[in-house]
Amino acid sequence: GLEETFCTMRCTDNLDDPSRADVYKPQLGYISTLNSYTLPMLRFLRLSALRGSLRNDAMVLPHWNVNANEILYVTNGQAHVQVVNDNGNRVFDQQISKGQLLAIPQGFAVAKTAQSERFEWISFKTNDNAKINTLAGRTSVLRGLPLEVLTNGFQISVEEARRVKFNTLETTLTHSSGQSGRRSDA
Amino acid sequence: QWGNECQLDQLNVLEPSHVLKCEAGRIEIWDHHAPQLRCSGVSFDRIVIEPQGLYLPTYFNAPKLSFVVNGRGLMGRVIPGCAETFMDSAGGQWQGQGFRDMHQKVEHLRRGDTIANPAGISQWIHNNGNEPLIIVSVFDIGNNQNQLDRNPRAFHLAGNNPQGQVWLRKSQQEPQNNMFSGFDPQVLAQAFKIKLNTAQQLQNQKDNRGNIVRVQGPFGVIRPPVRGEQRQEQDN
């Protein structure tokens, strides 16, 4: 039965087609992922991949890799990237450009802001079903916390905590200039 | 990394080697370099949360299994991609006047509860009882969910740890800050669409309360009543 199963298992997929994007915002860019759900062969490899393309001034909301290390390779353009370690220290704060490689360990928080018309990268992740958790945005960790945890944890008012939780409506990509998705502060 | 660590000629009783004191509790940590723990591939800690203490949201590089030794409280976890299923609004409209808050599931904790938490999932705990809430946890640092080194690593979303991660045995230990403190406040202001001074507040830079803080005022998170608890409002 190997001929009909393992031998014929699909082992290629194209991540450069915007029409199959998982996250798509015409003004900001797109993100496509490839994991063991979309390419079952990856279950054996325990690896997955993510293709990203950002337009100028677009930003990937700060996030961390829940269950994988990430190897990021820039294929086009430039971006400013900040990475924060478990000690809360900024361990990377630089512009990265085409041809450069950055390894981001599991749990470390990362934010990317495009600084060219088209910033594109490929990330390889060391888990076939790699997950991220965002720090800001509609599906972020702060959005899932009660207001009381935010007010006591950060020593801020209830109104400030509400803004922190609800002002950013996007889930993954946003404008770094801050105008997109912003709700009234009133 | 796992050379001869299980060649054990003698087993010993282990005591905590580090104590992190916080405003409303303490965290006791067993030295995971102890041969028995190295062999088992685990680390161990015990957190004591005083009444009205709040263990601020933290995630780890390894899965953990916890047991409530004493006390009672509330616990919340934030799982990526899950909806805020606990919502408090008069008309069901979250943008309306009656809206107060919405967040992910909150659970009651009591003595004997065993809690499983995967790596990378942040968790907070509040002691709403009258006695210390004591929770012991084992961290499976040898688990394949941990893709870092064989050390337990805590990532704080709020609060901090002024003593630093002393169990890592680094020659120069520095205070541990929360994950927001490493970002430029401008980046946070852009990401959250908030004012710069609020972004700086998120960094807890002038905060020395540790990772267990005392709650100011009522802790009115949305939660279902426990069995036998009186309802505050009567429906018609």
Side-chain angles (χ1 to χ4, degrees):
Chain A
L2 276 181
E3 290 86 347
E4 293 131 343
T5 55
F6 191 81
C7 303
T8 53
M9 193 179 261
R10 195 162 55 86
C11 60
T12 57
D13 204 333
N14 188 281
L15 276 175
D16 252 358
D17 181 1
S19 70
R20 58 148 293 178
D22 298 310
V23 178
Y24 176 64
K25 297 199 80 174
Q27 298 82 18
L28 300 175
Y30 69 89
I31 286 177
S32 298
T33 49
L34 190 65
N35 55 30
S36 59
Y37 291 109
T38 45
L39 187 64
M41 169 68 102
L42 291 175
R43 193 168 298 125
F44 296 101
L45 276 60
R46 292 190 174 179
L47 294 169
S48 58
L50 176 151
R51 176 65 160 158
S53 174
L54 287 186
R55 303 189 78 163
N56 200 12
D57 279 339
M59 174 189 204
V60 182
L61 288 167
H63 63 275
W64 75 87
N65 287 294
V66 169
N67 56 359
N69 296 314
E70 177 177 356
I71 312 299
L72 184 155
Y73 179 78
V74 182
T75 57
N76 189 45
Q78 294 159 6
H80 190 95
V81 177
Q82 291 189 349
V83 182
V84 177
N85 71 2
D86 53 322
N87 239 19
N89 295 331
R90 199 180 305 163
V91 290
F92 186 84
D93 185 8
Q94 281 182 37
Q95 191 179 68
I96 58 171
S97 49
K98 185 176 177 180
Q100 292 186 313
L101 183 83
L102 180 65
I104 304 163
Q106 176 187 21
F108 285 36
V110 56
K112 309 179 189 88
T113 306
Q115 292 189 320
S116 61
E117 183 42 42
R118 187 72 70 177
F119 169 65
E120 293 175 317
W121 78 97
I122 177 82
S123 282
F124 301 101
K125 300 198 180 188
T126 55
N127 192 308
D128 62 295
N129 188 17
K131 300 184 182 87
I132 63 159
N133 210 339
T134 48
L135 287 165
R138 184 154 47 89
T139 52
S140 70
V141 61
L142 293 198
R143 181 76 178 246
L145 294 172
L147 285 174
E148 287 80 0
V149 173
L150 299 191
T151 54
N152 284 285
F154 298 118
Q155 297 180 298
I156 54 178
S157 68
V158 174
E159 272 317 303
E160 283 176 311
R162 275 215 179 90
R163 287 185 201 117
V164 167
K165 277 188 75 164
F166 300 115
N167 267 11
T168 299
L169 299 180
E170 294 97 339
T171 57
T172 314
L173 305 179
T174 190
H175 272 293
S176 60
S177 49
Q179 77 272 25
S180 175
R182 185 174 186 153
R183 296 177 60 218
S184 165
D185 275 359
Chain B
Q1 273 187 307
W2 294 96
N4 279 330
E5 280 154 333
C6 292
Q7 207 159 356
L8 303 168
D9 298 324
Q10 191 179 355
L11 300 180
N12 300 308
V13 169
L14 302 173
E15 301 285 345
S17 51
H18 307 289
V19 179
L20 306 179
K21 290 183 179 156
C22 307
E23 183 188 49
R26 65 182 191 277
I27 301 170
E28 299 167 0
I29 294 148
W30 273 252
D31 184 6
H32 68 286
H33 295 98
Q36 291 148 259
L37 293 182
R38 285 304 273 187
C39 171
S40 308
V42 300
S43 72
F44 194 85
D45 81 4
R46 176 177 184 261
I47 60 173
V48 180
I49 308 171
E50 293 168 9
Q52 286 309 306
L54 172 65
Y55 175 80
L56 293 170
T58 303
Y59 61 95
F60 291 88
N61 59 329
K64 71 170 178 171
L65 198 57
S66 308
F67 181 79
V68 181
V69 176
N70 188 55
R72 65 185 177 93
L74 293 169
M75 179 201 67
R77 283 179 294 177
V78 184
I79 302 169
C82 293
E84 299 84 40
T85 50
F86 281 35
M87 186 174 185
D88 187 2
S89 67
Q93 294 292 315
W94 73 272
Q95 285 172 312
Q97 286 293 316
F99 171 72
R100 198 183 74 80
D101 192 16
M102 58 204 257
H103 52 75
Q104 287 194 17
K105 185 174 176 175
V106 170
E107 296 172 65
H108 295 274
L109 290 184
R110 61 192 173 97
R111 185 160 59 186
D113 281 350
T114 308
I115 311 151
N117 209 34
I121 302 296
S122 59
Q123 180 186 37
W124 59 268
I125 301 163
H126 174 242
N127 181 352
N128 62 357
N130 299 319
E131 53 183 343
L133 174 60
I134 301 173
I135 299 174
V136 293
S137 302
V138 69
F139 297 79
D140 186 9
I141 50 180
N143 192 294
N144 65 10
Q145 282 189 27
N146 172 26
Q147 302 208 352
L148 299 180
D149 55 15
R150 296 293 186 257
N151 289 303
R153 290 181 183 272
F155 297 78
H156 300 299
L157 287 173
N160 49 29
N161 167 18
Q163 289 160 262
Q165 300 191 82
V166 282
W167 55 92
L168 296 181
R169 285 187 177 173
K170 282 167 72 175
S171 53
Q172 281 191 324
Q173 196 54 247
E174 51 186 311
Q176 187 184 14
N177 298 311
N178 77 25
M179 298 306 289
F180 296 105
S181 70
F183 287 107
D184 187 332
Q186 194 68 44
V187 170
L188 295 180
Q190 289 166 352
F192 285 98
K193 322 286 185 213
I194 53 175
K195 293 174 186 159
L196 194 61
N197 60 352
T198 307
Q200 286 162 338
Q201 284 281 104
L202 292 184
Q203 301 185 314
N204 285 124
Q205 299 281 16
K206 294 173 186 167
D207 192 345
N208 56 5
R209 297 176 299 163
N211 204 43
I212 305 174
V213 303
R214 195 168 305 287
V215 167
Q216 305 297 324
F219 195 77
V221 299
I222 309 156
R223 63 191 171 96
V226 289
R227 190 179 297 175
E229 198 176 64
Q230 286 287 328
R231 279 181 65 94
Q232 296 295 312
E233 296 166 15
Q234 292 291 320
D235 295 332
N236 67 21

